[in-house]
Every structure is written in structure tokens, then in C-alpha cells.
Amino acid sequence: MPLTSPFNLFPPNDKVKPLIVSSMVDLAVDLGALRHNYRQLRGLCAPGVKLMAVVKADAYGHGLLPAARALAGEGADYLGVGSLEEGQALRQAGLTLPVLLLLGILPAEAGPAVGADLEVALFRLDVAQALAAAAAAQGKRAGVHLKVDTGMGRLGLLPAEVFPFLERLRAYPQLEVRGLTSHLAVADQEEKSYTLRQLEQFVGVLKAARDQGWALPLSHIANSAALWELKDAHFALVRPGIMLYGSPPAPERHLPVELQPVMSLTTQVLQVKRLPPGASISYGCTFTTTDDCNLAVLPVGYANGFSRLFSNRGEVLIRGQRAPIRGRVCMNLTMVEVTHLPEVRAGEPVVLLGQSDNARLTGDDLAGWAQTISYEIYLALGNANPRRYLGE
Ligand SMILES: *Cc1c(COP(=O)(O)O)cnc(C)c1O
């Protein structure tokens, strides 16, 4: 069924998924800003360092295919995705650059992964065997990146396990071990001692493996934070995610480059009313007016990914001014106080994320009200609303 929103919702080939469609809420993704951010990050790397643009989780809610096309167009060397399906979608869209499945695969996914020339983060022998068998059957070689846990405590072989594992891989000449890979736990913090210990572990394992004859030309460990602050962590390739989408890896850190926000969310005032003192607002009556209050009702709520945790904490921008959220955020509605903006009428534009005159609400602002990180804000908003693309 075609959707009836006025926006150009889905670029060709983007998978249609169930969405809350409302022409009262507009989520825009600025691909020009994404390209700008890519160039800024590229500029932080030495020539010859490859850049893997991380586009997992539907490009952090920005839309896998439009983001991937824009980044490939800028010259990204690799794309990093979270699932076989995302990798296959990139191939179906005609993207031919190398793609790494960051979480690895299940043994049953080996055939399709090899078929689509997707490279795999590897940490299981049964997967190695399945990949080798699939590669043999298809007359190909399968590219793998051996995942090492240097202190993240998540996926990967412990350093002591790497060696025995590599020895077992000698039985599978169909596998091409491109490099070692690891992930950093606290690279976004100013205090770098833990990160430096992780790097030391990584370098130690890498060197030992190379001494045994493994070339491992494409080894990598750097996320956005390490790309920006730790040149020693760049190795052959860096894997930024969040900074491509315009946010620092940690909100309090000052970035060395000027990043542009990519996602914005706007709506308009659905109703304005004047409440007397002593009036309660929204479910639970958690806010009661003490004076006369001009209230604007907005047609956005947690169905749009606008978190209920913003209740009585968050703000929106109207005419470049902040207006505080009063009472609880509902499924489709949110109330803000505009007593200080007496000219506001129904139809007035409202910025929920992004720029209004000289004022701005960032992903980190919204994340702070909900005690989360900008990553989750972008995902929640991007997943719940149709996306309109700028700068295509
Ligand atoms: C998500 C992810 C990244 C990107 O992290 P950012 O903090 O968004 O830069 C890099 N590597 C791996 C393995 C990841 O899962």
C-alpha cells in the first residue's frame, strides 16, 4: 500500500516498514551534513588510513541506504553493518565497496554472506568452518577479521585464545584473514590509561601473530573517540559511527572539528490555550500551574520516539526560544509552556531537535533529559518517523 504522507518518504529500494505516519511531524536527514562530517573525519586521518563508515542499526536511525550511498560517494573505503540483512540490502542497492558484518554471523548465514561478498568478524570455529565450506562451494575466498577482546568484555577471543585459533584456521585456506579487530570501552573519556592498556594488548597480540607469519594487513580498533584523540589507535583502518552523524562520542567533550547535526525533528503547534492558576496538565496531573499559563499542545509523543522520560524535563524551541515541557509526554501529544511567548498561535513551527534562529537542541540535549546517549535518541526518532532527505 502506498503511504499518503506529503513527504518523499522512501528513496527507491529502501525497505518499507510499518511506521507511524503523520504530516504533523517532520524528521529530516541532511545528507549534505553527513558528507561534511565524513570529510572532517577523513581530515583527521593520515593518508593511507582506510575509513569504515559504521552504518549499523539503519545508520543509527538515519536510513541505511541513503547514508551508505552518501558515504560511499564521498569515498568511504568500507561499510560496517550489524546484520547479514543489512549487508545484503547494501548489495541489492548496488553498493560494491567492502562491507564488514561487525557482529559476525551464525553458521547458517555463511552461504549468503559469502554469496554477497560480505566480510565477517570472526570469533567462533564453527563459523570459520561454515565460511570455509561456503567459500569452497562457491569457488570464492571469504574475508574475515579476527575479533579480539582486549578489555571491552564483549565479543571476541581473549588474547591468549588468538594464537590457538589462528593455528586452527590454517586448515581453512578458503578464509582470508584480513586483520585483527578489537573494540575500545572508554575511549570517549579524557582519562586514557584503560584505553592505552587495551591498545597495548592489541599491539602485543598483533605483533605475536605477525611473528608467526600472519600478515594481518587490515587490523583496526578505533571508534569515533579514538579516531579523534588517539592517532596511535588508527592502524590501517578506523571505524567511526556517531561522529559521522554529528555528535561527539561523549557530550561534555569538545571536538577538534566542526561537525554538523544530520537529523532534525520539527512539528507545529496544534492548539494554544490559556490555563488559570491551579490547572493540572496531562496524565497523572504531575504539573499544576501556579499562575496564568499559556500552553501549546504539540502533536508529537512517544509514538514518534519522543521519550516519555522528557516529561517535565525537556524543552522545545519556538521562535528561537526555549519552551519547557509541562506534565507527561503522551503517546501522540506533548504540552509546552509558552507564557513567555504570548504571540504563539496554532500552526507555529516548533523545533524538537535542531536549529531555531540562534538556538539549538542537540541529540545530547535530548539524551540528557532521558539519561541516555545521543545514539539512542537518533535511533528512537529515526525508527519511529518517516524520514525526509535533504541534500541528495
Ligand atoms: C558501533 C561500533 C563502532 C562505532 O562506534 P562510535 O562510538 O559510534 O564511533 C565501531 N566499532 C564497532 C565494533 C561498533 O560496534
Side-chain angles (χ1 to χ4, degrees):
M1 280 290 291
L3 295 158
T4 54
S5 163
F7 303 125
N8 170 22
L9 300 186
F10 302 103
N13 298 327
D14 209 353
K15 245 195 233 161
V16 177
K17 51 183 179 173
L19 290 162
I20 308 292
V21 175
S22 163
S23 51
M24 296 184 186
V25 180
D26 179 25
L27 186 132
V29 174
D30 184 348
L31 296 174
L34 182 66
R35 289 191 294 263
H36 166 92
N37 296 340
Y38 173 90
R39 290 191 293 266
Q40 297 289 306
L41 297 189
R42 176 97 262 174
L44 293 173
C45 302
V49 172
K50 289 185 192 290
L51 198 149
M52 176 189 295
V54 177
V55 291
K56 68 190 180 197
D58 214 8
Y60 293 36
H62 294 73
L64 175 67
L65 297 184
R69 285 192 195 103
L71 294 161
E74 283 298 317
D77 302 286
Y78 256 85
L79 295 170
V81 296
S83 68
L84 172 66
E85 287 78 3
E86 286 186 323
Q88 289 173 318
L90 293 172
R91 292 293 183 244
Q92 277 155 24
L95 288 156
T96 54
L97 69 172
V99 172
L100 177 62
L101 304 182
L102 293 165
L103 310 186
I105 55 167
L106 303 175
E109 296 176 320
V114 172
D117 294 316
L118 303 170
E119 299 179 19
V120 174
L122 183 65
F123 44 88
R124 275 171 56 168
L125 268 180
D126 58 344
V127 170
Q129 190 182 8
L131 277 171
Q138 299 181 35
K140 289 179 167 180
R141 297 193 80 206
V144 297
H145 301 232
L146 204 62
K147 180 94 175 179
V148 188
D149 179 3
T150 56
M152 177 69 185
R154 207 171 70 174
L155 282 179
L157 302 163
L158 294 173
E161 296 171 323
V162 170
F163 232 31
F165 194 95
L166 278 172
E167 285 307 307
R168 300 287 294 271
L169 291 192
R170 291 194 196 277
Y172 304 122
Q174 303 86 354
L175 300 187
E176 184 175 331
V177 186
R178 297 259 147 91
L180 299 187
T181 177
S182 189
H183 197 46
L184 298 168
V186 286
D188 55 316
Q189 287 177 12
E190 198 156 4
E191 221 293 298
K192 290 285 186 272
S193 53
Y194 191 89
T195 302
L196 292 176
R197 277 210 299 284
Q198 280 199 263
L199 276 181
E200 219 175 284
Q201 289 266 345
F202 191 65
V203 171
V205 180
L206 189 57
K207 190 174 174 308
R210 283 181 175 156
D211 286 345
Q212 297 293 318
W214 296 89
L216 306 171
L218 207 62
S219 293
H220 48 99
I221 191 169
N223 54 6
S224 289
L227 187 169
W228 146 43
E229 286 197 303
L230 281 170
K231 288 246 160 33
D232 283 350
H234 285 193
F235 296 94
L237 177 147
V238 292
R239 308 188 304 260
I242 193 68
M243 283 172 69
L244 289 170
Y245 306 104
S247 283
E252 70 284 0
R253 307 298 312 285
H254 182 74
L255 291 172
V257 288
E258 190 262 320
L259 299 178
Q260 295 175 1
V262 178
M263 185 183 289
S264 61
L265 185 71
T266 54
T267 186
Q268 55 173 281
V269 174
L270 189 59
Q271 189 190 2
V272 179
K273 59 172 53 162
R274 187 158 178 85
L275 294 175
S280 288
I281 296 168
S282 194
Y283 290 121
C285 300
T286 60
F287 186 89
T288 303
T289 59
T290 51
D291 292 298
D292 285 326
C293 169
N294 285 13
L295 197 71
V297 183
L298 312 180
V300 63
Y302 55 81
N304 305 96
F306 196 72
S307 176
R308 191 166 173 276
L309 295 168
F310 300 160
S311 300
N312 286 313
R313 302 190 67 176
E315 295 172 319
V316 305
L317 299 174
I318 302 179
R319 300 186 179 208
Q321 306 268 332
R322 287 171 180 253
I325 294 173
R326 298 302 194 207
R328 288 203 181 134
V329 172
C330 306
M331 192 176 286
N332 293 116
L333 294 167
T334 296
M335 278 59 73
V336 299
E337 178 157 4
V338 290
T339 312
H340 57 304
L341 297 165
E343 324 78 34
V344 167
R345 300 283 178 269
E348 182 88 30
V350 179
V351 172
L352 306 160
L353 171 69
Q355 187 94 18
S356 167
D357 295 337
N358 290 324
R360 176 182 281 190
L361 288 173
T362 65
D364 285 313
D365 290 327
L366 275 66
W369 307 327
Q371 292 184 358
T372 182
I373 51 178
S374 60
Y375 303 60
E376 192 179 4
I377 295 292
Y378 295 140
L379 260 178
L381 297 176
N383 280 342
N385 298 288
R387 296 179 285 241
R388 183 168 64 91
Y389 288 94
L390 309 172
E392 261 176 311

